[in-house]
Amino acid sequence: MSIELGPVLIDGQTVALSVAGGRIVALTPTQAPAAAVAMPLSVDAHVHLDKCFTAHRARAAKPGLFGAIEAMAADKAAWSADDLRARITRGLADAVANGVGVIRSHVDWTEPGVPLAWSVMGEADTEVTLQRAALVSLDILGDPDHGPGIAARVAADGAVLGTFIYRHDNYADHLGRVFRLAADHGLRLDFHVDEGLDADAVAIDEVARLTRAHGMAGWVLCGHACSLAIRADADRAIAQIAEAGLALTILPTTNLHLQDMAPGRSPRLRGLAPAQELRAAGVTVLFGSDNVRDPFYPYGAHDPVEMLRLACLTLHLSPGDWLGAIAGDAAHALGLPPARLTVGAPADFILIEGADWTEALSNPRAPRRIYRAGAAMTQGTAA
């Protein structure tokens, strides 16, 4: 069956798009105004499928990041394989319905043993390309008695090694061991780093130094780096990040929700790393859905297009210039070949009504269709 779509805006050019046999067979330039915009299936580079859909039962007693961490830890004590499987399956279905092609999910790893969620997620059956990233306690991963075994397991599972770093004691020593483990096992690294608005949260500087020292440019992804928004030496730090070849994922929903949170007071600070300055310096910047309906962010969906919309609002960006942050740049940062809408490529793409990306993202209810192997779905249901 062949499908003719057009006029469609792809990579700044208006074309008639022809699909047959599950592939793009023609992209014919046209002078007609575009009626829709198209992009490859999106890449969600930073989510937490083990935590999603717990907001109704895990309520933070204290504001901010650490209140959410405590609420999540209390809920985790009652997790079962059935509970995890149901929520992970629901999260992946949410991502599929919103046009995600690749998703990287962090998995909390707070004890030396392999967490239940790691095993359950490894068995997930999904249409998306799913990467697991171990979010290990830095004190455990940096421990010479525990770190090597964890790294070996992560490597055996073809996954990504990572940890949470925020003003830890001796973090430089621990990070040095983590990088050596990654080098020994050929592992990519993904860090939650400096997730707070304290000017002395500067661990990303050490991550950049170690990335250079180990020759791991392009293999290390950081998430959050909120403190870059308020550091007086941010320009220097950004230059070091760029020189090291780090990529950075900005998480609009969770960081806006948790940072500068205080009961009875409106937030004054946005809590988002400076995307424009980072990219201008040469840093690959991504956007991710992060937390979905859990104590860290009790709303939302696994939907990078919505993350792009929110990033454009809060960081003053032009959406057409930042599609890579949820597509090609994101895939590259995850070690995958970027998908492109070219003749002969699989007909896997998102189509949104609108003359350009600004118009398409202006209306959250703009009709969106997801194509996988040339088969069309509306957002959320089969067509």
Side-chain angles (χ1 to χ4, degrees), residues 115-187:
L116 177 63
W118 184 263
S119 301
V120 172
M121 197 178 299
E123 299 167 356
D125 183 17
T126 177
E127 294 181 61
V128 306
T129 297
L130 171 61
Q131 293 185 348
R132 285 177 291 172
L135 182 55
V136 190
S137 162
L138 182 58
D139 291 334
I140 294 173
L141 189 56
D143 186 322
D145 292 330
H146 300 306
I150 293 171
R153 174 59 188 264
V154 170
D157 289 341
V160 178
L161 192 63
T163 188
F164 172 89
I165 318 158
Y166 189 68
R167 302 174 68 191
H168 282 75
D169 293 335
N170 300 320
Y171 71 80
D173 290 341
H174 287 324
L175 272 176
R177 294 191 188 99
V178 171
F179 269 84
R180 288 193 291 275
L181 289 171
D184 289 345
H185 292 279
L187 288 168

Side-chain angles (χ1 to χ4, degrees), residues 7-375:
V8 178
L9 186 69
I10 299 176
D11 294 333
Q13 183 179 28
T14 304
V15 299
L17 189 159
S18 302
V19 172
R23 293 193 171 269
I24 297 172
V25 296
L27 294 170
T28 307
T30 175
Q31 297 301 313
V37 296
M39 64 171 286
L41 297 178
S42 62
V43 178
D44 211 339
H46 183 129
V47 306
H48 294 267
L49 291 169
D50 57 340
K51 300 174 180 175
C52 64
F53 305 114
T54 56
H56 64 288
R57 68 191 196 204
R59 302 180 186 278
K62 296 186 293 189
L65 174 65
F66 291 98
I69 289 173
E70 290 179 8
M72 198 76 263
D75 189 74
K76 183 180 177 183
W79 288 0
S80 66
D82 287 344
D83 170 60
L84 282 161
R85 191 172 296 109
R87 292 188 293 102
I88 290 168
T89 298
R90 182 181 174 188
L92 288 168
D94 185 36
V96 168
N98 288 317
V100 175
V102 177
I103 194 166
R104 176 180 286 183
S105 178
H106 299 269
V107 179
D108 276 14
W109 198 312
T110 55
E111 302 292 338
V114 178
L116 177 63
W118 184 263
S119 301
V120 172
M121 197 178 299
E123 299 167 356
D125 183 17
T126 177
E127 294 181 61
V128 306
T129 297
L130 171 61
Q131 293 185 348
R132 285 177 291 172
L135 182 55
V136 190
S137 162
L138 182 58
D139 291 334
I140 294 173
L141 189 56
D143 186 322
D145 292 330
H146 300 306
I150 293 171
R153 174 59 188 264
V154 170
D157 289 341
V160 178
L161 192 63
T163 188
F164 172 89
I165 318 158
Y166 189 68
R167 302 174 68 191
H168 282 75
D169 293 335
N170 300 320
Y171 71 80
D173 290 341
H174 287 324
L175 272 176
R177 294 191 188 99
V178 171
F179 269 84
R180 288 193 291 275
L181 289 171
D184 289 345
H185 292 279
L187 288 168
R188 289 183 171 272
L189 290 168
D190 195 329
F191 297 114
H192 285 54
V193 62
D194 301 338
E195 191 178 351
L197 293 173
D198 294 295
D200 57 351
V202 296
I204 197 168
D205 297 5
E206 183 65 10
V207 172
R209 187 189 73 79
L210 288 165
T211 301
R212 290 194 303 273
H214 287 269
M216 292 184 66
W219 281 66
V220 183
L221 177 60
C222 291
H224 301 290
C226 304
S227 65
L228 285 175
I230 51 91
R231 284 178 58 177
D233 65 342
D235 288 345
R236 178 195 60 78
I238 288 170
Q240 291 181 342
I241 293 165
E243 181 185 353
L246 294 182
L248 178 65
T249 309
I250 295 175
L251 295 314
T253 53
T254 302
N255 289 156
L256 285 168
H257 181 67
L258 291 177
Q259 300 305 313
D260 200 24
M261 178 187 281
R265 179 181 68 80
S266 299
R268 306 295 196 271
L269 302 174
R270 297 190 181 193
L272 302 180
Q276 295 189 53
E277 291 83 350
L278 284 157
R279 194 167 80 165
V283 178
T284 298
V285 177
L286 320 180
F287 304 132
S289 298
D290 203 5
N291 301 93
V292 172
R293 295 172 66 178
D294 65 24
F296 298 84
Y297 184 67
Y299 316 107
H302 299 94
D303 188 355
V305 172
E306 285 302 304
M307 295 310 102
L308 176 63
R309 184 199 311 278
L310 185 54
C312 288
L313 168 65
T314 54
L315 293 165
H316 297 169
L317 311 177
S318 176
D321 296 335
W322 287 81
L323 294 179
I326 60 167
D329 292 345
H332 189 264
L334 269 55
L336 300 170
R340 303 196 184 282
L341 301 186
T342 57
V343 173
D348 300 330
F349 55 89
I350 301 171
L351 196 71
I352 307 175
E353 185 177 291
D356 55 32
W357 276 98
T358 298
E359 182 174 312
L361 294 187
S362 293
N363 177 12
R365 293 181 296 279
R368 186 192 307 187
R369 281 181 285 169
I370 316 300
Y371 286 82
R372 295 179 186 271

